[in-house]
Amino acid sequence: MKKNIFYLMIGVVALVLLVIFGYSVENFTPVLFMIAFVIGVILLYLAYRKVDDFIEDERSARITEKAAMRTLQVFWVCFCAFSIMAVMNLLYMPRFSRAFWLTRENDIVPPELMSLKTIGYIQLGLLCLMIFLYVGFRIYYARKFGDWETDEE
């Protein structure tokens, strides 16, 4: 198995675990997620043992370096933009009219753009996105630096 296929498998397992986590939270079954997590780790360990191209030379080190740097550069922008939006959602202070304060109708709850649960799920999804970004940048730089001249990927 090729290294990038293994990285894609990590991303797919992370997405599946994210879905199982959501299901476990909604149905109050934490044991399901714990079992799925252990099975995912075992599957990834077995897949890691079948990877045959973990040969580290100067070119692959350069590809890894460039891919990691680009992943961080793209990911921090996405994650920061989402986090700013989430904080703005949490700190949202509605503007009420003077009549509102005079009549003491303080039972009105300001609308939320997103619930905390949704924000948490999106942040977990963004972490899965980071894995796929890394794989995509590895593929791009491997082709750019000629690492896959004979590879079918």
Side-chain angles (χ1 to χ4, degrees), residues 3 53-58 60-62 64:
K3 195 173 4 181
D53 67 342
F54 273 125
I55 300 169
E56 192 69 28
D57 59 356
E58 290 177 12
S60 64
R62 179 80 173 144
T64 301

Side-chain angles (χ1 to χ4, degrees), residues 73-143:
Q73 288 173 342
V74 171
F75 181 73
W76 82 264
V77 172
C78 297
F79 197 74
C80 186
F82 176 76
S83 296
I84 289 170
M85 190 273 311
V87 168
M88 294 297 288
N89 179 45
L90 294 173
L91 298 177
Y92 173 69
M93 296 295 289
R95 295 187 179 165
F96 296 111
S97 66
R98 184 177 190 134
F100 172 80
W101 295 110
L102 293 176
T103 59
R104 302 282 186 195
E105 295 176 11
N106 295 332
D107 295 336
I108 299 174
V109 178
E112 281 187 300
L113 297 175
M114 279 197 250
S115 68
L116 289 176
K117 187 188 300 187
T118 305
I119 290 171
Y121 287 149
I122 291 175
Q123 286 182 340
L124 288 172
L126 285 173
L127 290 174
C128 292
L129 170 70
M130 187 169 74
I131 296 168
F132 289 111
L133 276 173
Y134 178 73
V135 171
F137 282 123
R138 274 198 60 81
I139 291 169
Y140 172 76
Y141 284 113
R143 288 188 178 152

Side-chain angles (χ1 to χ4, degrees), residues 22-42:
Y23 179 81
S24 294
V25 168
E26 293 297 322
N27 295 311
F28 305 109
T29 54
V31 175
L32 175 67
F33 179 72
M34 288 186 246
I35 292 170
F37 182 79
V38 170
I39 290 171
V41 169
I42 291 170

Side-chain angles (χ1 to χ4, degrees), residues 1-3 5-7 9-10 13 40-52 54:
M1 173 188 318
K2 300 291 181 188
K3 195 173 4 181
I5 300 297
F6 174 69
Y7 292 142
M9 285 180 64
I10 291 173
V13 168
V41 169
I42 291 170
L43 286 175
L44 289 176
Y45 174 74
L46 293 173
Y48 177 79
R49 292 180 45 190
K50 299 203 182 278
V51 175
D52 56 5
F54 273 125

